[in-house]
Each structure stands twice: as C-alpha cells, then as structure tokens.
Amino acid sequence: MTKLHLVTGKSWLQQQGSKHFTGKGLLMANGQEWYHQRHIAAPAFMGDKLKSYSTHMVECTKHMLQSLLNEVKSGQNEFEIGEYMTRLTADIIARTEFDTSYEKGKQIFHLLTSLQHRCAQASRHLCFPGSRFFPTKYNREIKALKMEVERLLMEIIQSRKDCMEIGRSSSYGNDLLGILLNEMEKERRGGKFKINLELIMDECKTFFFAGHETTALLLTWTVMLLATNPHWQQKVRDEVNKVCDGGVPSLDQLPKLTLLQMVINESLRLYPPATVLPRMAFQDIKLGDLLIPKGLSLWIPVLAIHHSEELWGKDANEFNPERFNSRPFAAGRHFIPFAAGPRNCIGQSFAIMEAKIILAMLISRFSFTISERYRHAPVVVMTIKPKYGVQVYLKPLEDPSN
C-alpha cells in the first residue's frame, strides 16, 4: 500500500505563496520532511500535554470576559466580537507556544498578521520572473517584517539555550517551542540533525498562524449563529449551567456539553475553516476507475460538500445543529472541517477544546443578540471571513455561582 503522504502534498506554487510567513513548516512540507515534522510536533497536541493547555485557555478567557464586562459598565453595549476573539486566540497560542515569553509572542503575532497582509497585497500585483528579488515597496516591507519576526524568535530561543548552558534548566521547556528545541538537541546528539533553528522558527510561525485565525473565525461565526438563534443560545446556556454548575468548565465536563458540540459542528459545516483543500499528485494515482496523473492539482471543495443538499437535505444552507444529533453524516468524508486522512489538522483537538471552553464561559456570563448594523457578507478566500465584522449586543447575566 502506497503511503499517501508520499504521493500527494502541497504544490510549489502554494509553497512560494506562503514561504515568507510559514516557510517550510508542517503546513507546507511534503513527503518524508512532512512525516518527520508531524512526528515531532504531534506530542504537543496529545494526551496530558493537550490537557495542560486548558489552564491558559481559561485564564485568557477570564481576562477577556472581564474586559467586556468593564466596557459594558462604562456604557458600551455593542461589540465587534471578531476583534475580541482574534485577540483572545492569539493570547492563548502565544502562551501555549512560548509560555514565559508570552509578551514577545504577542509581538510576533502582530508582526505575522502584518506580514500576511503584505504578502496578500503583493500577490495581487502583476509579477514577472525574478520580480520577487526587486527592492519594491512590498518586497522591502515583507523582508523587514520577516527579519523582525525571526529576530524575536531567536531572542526567545537564545534565552532558553542560555538557561540550559548555565544549568538553570534541564530542558528547553514544555511548551511547543521547548518540544521542538528538545527534539533538535536529541537529534544533534544522535547524529541525525534533520531539524534546525530555521525549521523551528518556521514551525513556530506555522502554528501561530494556523492556531489562532481558524479558531477565531470558528468562534466569531458561532457567536453570530447563536446571536441570531436565541432558542439555541438558551438551550446551550442551560446545558452549560447544568453541567458546569456555574463554574469554569473542567476537562471532564467538556465531553458532556453535547449541545454545544452540535452547535460547533454546525458552525464548522456552514463556515469551514478551509473552504478548499488543495493537493498535488506526485505520482500517478488510481482511485477506482479514476486515474489521477502525476502533476495534477486537486482542489477538494469543502464548502460545496458541506452545503450539498444531496448530502445534508433541503435545509443544507440553514442553521440546524440537530442534524448532528443522530450523526447522519460520514465524518471524514462529508464533514471535513479539519481535512481528513494523514494530512488532517494536527491541532483540531486543541481547537475544539479551546472553542468549547471559550463559548461555555462566554454564554454563562453574557446573553447576546445581533446588532442591526450587522451585514451578513461572508468573504471566501481560503477561509471564510465576515467582510464587515460581526456586531453583537452583550448583556451581562447574573453570576450563577453567587
């Protein structure tokens, strides 16, 4: 049986388009390089390591909720919730990825966001061979931002190396960066050395980029759906209050939030993090009677699959979490918000745990309705974003723990 990670992957064009802000990290790697990187990073998103991130998620969410409450008390009642979710998920990924270097992590987040926008702007301009080497305005800005990101990353890495050398620490840390650095040291001693500092920086950028934007969008769209469906909002709130008894959701309580999971699934179905999944065939592939020739680019239309009336029924374009109650869908085939197969999203368990904690804490502290200023205008690029944001009215609820 041919290993799928060797016969399909990302095209050269995709790699070039994202090389400045994710480089050769897991998202864009192919073949054995991808397999090696996935093997190194996987422990950071499994078992006890995954569970340990919940503390950061709860603390960051508490901080955001207090900020919202303070603003409500000062007279504000309308909020563009996407901005808050973006900041919150960036805070969480900064803490889980860089831990004690959290403040530098926040700086890296803002630089990477600017870098992403500059790269997107540059890609819209007419290019000719070799133009990426010209000292144009965009090329200069991209180079400067990339250098600043890498300078900050190197400062964090160097501080950990210094702690190891003077004996203040026996490892590089237990966060994602520490896991990668420890693996590099292990390989260096074993003589393999497949992972180096440049690749570690690319992995940090990849997980920062992929780890906050998609979850922020999931949270934003879910709040919009609950704000426009008050019946479901109340059902989820009742479930959260019953399961969590007015407190912060614990890890063993999260699986019991079945209605919330149904709502999250429906949000992911309607507004999947990736609207298409691009792949390239690196050799001839036979799928039944279908021959996929080497070099062919495949685009799996996730958005179309998720909105297919044939698969989901006549109400495919409507918000109906009940469709996930009896599980009449084929997960990994018809429902693929995090892709499927060997290249599925490595952080999907992290994202779902994060979304459940944040939404459970938000819905137990505030009720929310959609603002009349909200304009429903989903914009599809690779992700689905609300073009004009999501404006909601927030109303604090009485603290059920009192």
Side-chain angles (χ1 to χ4, degrees):
M1 182 75 177
T2 305
K3 292 184 178 179
L4 287 175
H5 70 269
L6 294 177
V7 300
T8 63
K10 299 301 176 75
S11 70
W12 179 87
L13 197 60
Q14 287 175 271
Q15 291 174 330
Q16 287 299 304
S18 62
K19 70 175 184 178
H20 290 300
F21 57 94
T22 58
K24 297 178 182 178
L26 184 63
L27 195 63
M28 288 296 153
N30 286 326
Q32 290 295 353
E33 286 185 2
W34 171 85
Y35 181 81
H36 182 64
Q37 291 179 40
R38 177 96 177 194
H39 178 74
I40 290 170
F45 299 96
M46 295 169 61
D48 291 339
K49 191 68 221 158
L50 181 64
K51 293 175 183 176
S52 70
Y53 298 145
S54 63
T55 303
H56 292 312
M57 295 173 182
V58 168
E59 289 307 311
C60 290
T61 305
K62 280 181 177 178
H63 186 268
M64 182 199 74
L65 294 177
Q66 188 58 51
S67 174
L68 288 171
L69 186 60
N70 292 341
E71 290 178 50
V72 169
K73 287 179 177 178
S74 69
Q76 183 178 347
N77 65 350
E78 183 184 283
F79 299 84
E80 201 294 280
I81 202 66
E83 294 177 0
Y84 289 85
M85 294 305 181
T86 298
R87 285 200 296 270
L88 173 57
T89 54
D91 282 352
I92 290 170
I93 199 71
R95 288 192 186 277
T96 54
E97 189 165 328
F98 299 116
D99 195 15
T100 53
S101 306
Y102 164 67
E103 289 301 328
K104 274 198 175 76
K106 287 204 295 185
Q107 292 178 52
I108 292 169
F109 159 69
H110 292 300
L111 288 166
L112 281 176
T113 303
S114 299
L115 187 56
Q116 182 191 5
H117 291 156
R118 294 293 189 282
C119 289
Q121 288 171 331
S123 68
R124 297 189 194 108
H125 290 74
L126 184 64
C127 295
F128 53 87
S131 62
R132 67 182 185 275
F133 299 113
F134 278 55
T136 62
K137 173 189 173 187
Y138 286 121
N139 286 347
R140 288 197 308 271
E141 289 177 348
I142 287 169
K143 184 179 179 181
L145 286 166
K146 184 182 177 186
M147 287 176 65
E148 182 62 11
V149 167
E150 292 179 351
R151 184 188 68 78
L152 288 169
L153 283 170
M154 278 307 301
E155 281 186 7
I156 297 172
I157 291 169
Q158 191 58 51
S159 69
R160 298 198 183 190
K161 291 177 79 174
D162 291 344
C163 286
M164 282 277 285
E165 287 171 6
I166 63 176
R168 286 177 55 192
S169 177
S170 59
S171 77
Y172 288 110
N174 293 318
D175 53 10
L176 179 62
L177 176 59
I179 288 171
L180 294 172
L181 288 169
N182 287 324
E183 189 64 31
M184 185 185 75
E185 183 65 20
K186 206 187 325 179
E187 289 190 356
R188 186 180 68 79
R189 290 173 181 168
K192 302 176 193 173
F193 211 61
K194 291 181 182 177
I195 186 169
N196 53 35
L197 288 178
E198 182 183 0
L199 184 55
I200 285 177
M201 288 193 288
D202 285 347
E203 295 293 15
C204 288
K205 290 184 281 187
T206 294
F207 286 115
F208 217 128
F209 170 71
H212 92 272
E213 183 179 49
T214 51
T215 311
L217 288 170
L218 163 60
L219 290 162
T220 301
W221 287 121
T222 306
V223 169
M224 184 279 291
L225 289 166
L226 289 172
T228 50
N229 292 273
H231 171 64
W232 270 99
Q233 183 182 152
Q234 191 56 49
K235 284 177 69 171
V236 172
R237 182 176 293 112
D238 291 342
E239 177 186 68
V240 169
N241 288 338
K242 180 181 178 182
V243 171
C244 303
D245 194 27
V248 171
S250 63
L251 288 174
D252 63 316
Q253 290 171 338
L254 293 182
K256 299 174 184 177
L257 298 174
T258 54
L259 291 178
L260 179 56
Q261 183 64 64
M262 286 160 55
V263 167
I264 289 171
N265 283 348
E266 183 68 339
S267 178
L268 287 167
R269 186 187 70 83
L270 291 168
Y271 307 99
T275 58
V276 293
L277 297 173
R279 297 286 187 270
M280 175 170 275
F282 297 144
Q283 65 183 52
D284 292 346
I285 303 172
K286 192 81 185 298
L287 288 177
D289 297 329
L290 184 65
L291 175 64
I292 301 172
K294 177 182 177 180
L296 183 71
S297 284
L298 304 170
W299 292 74
I300 301 165
V302 177
L303 190 61
I305 293 169
H306 280 193
H307 286 254
S308 167
E309 290 189 4
E310 184 181 346
L311 297 173
W312 301 97
K314 294 292 183 182
D315 66 343
N317 293 318
E318 297 173 17
F319 176 70
N320 177 19
E322 283 291 350
R323 73 177 84 248
F324 286 95
N325 192 19
S326 56
R327 297 187 177 274
F329 63 94
R333 193 168 182 184
H334 301 157
F335 182 59
I336 46 176
F338 296 104
R343 291 198 71 130
N344 67 346
C345 175
I346 194 172
Q348 58 183 298
S349 296
F350 179 100
I352 294 298
M353 181 173 76
E354 181 180 12
K356 275 190 165 183
I357 288 172
I358 293 168
L359 290 168
M361 292 177 69
L362 174 69
I363 208 165
S364 65
R365 293 291 177 265
F366 292 93
S367 65
F368 36 93
T369 53
I370 205 74
S371 167
E372 60 271 10
R373 292 200 311 116
Y374 171 66
R375 294 167 64 188
H376 190 63
V379 179
V380 178
V381 189
M382 288 300 284
T383 56
I384 306 180
K385 299 181 180 181
K387 185 175 182 179
Y388 306 109
V390 173
Q391 296 78 26
V392 296
Y393 294 122
L394 292 180
K395 181 181 177 184
L397 298 171
E398 183 180 345
D399 190 340
S401 63
N402 287 339

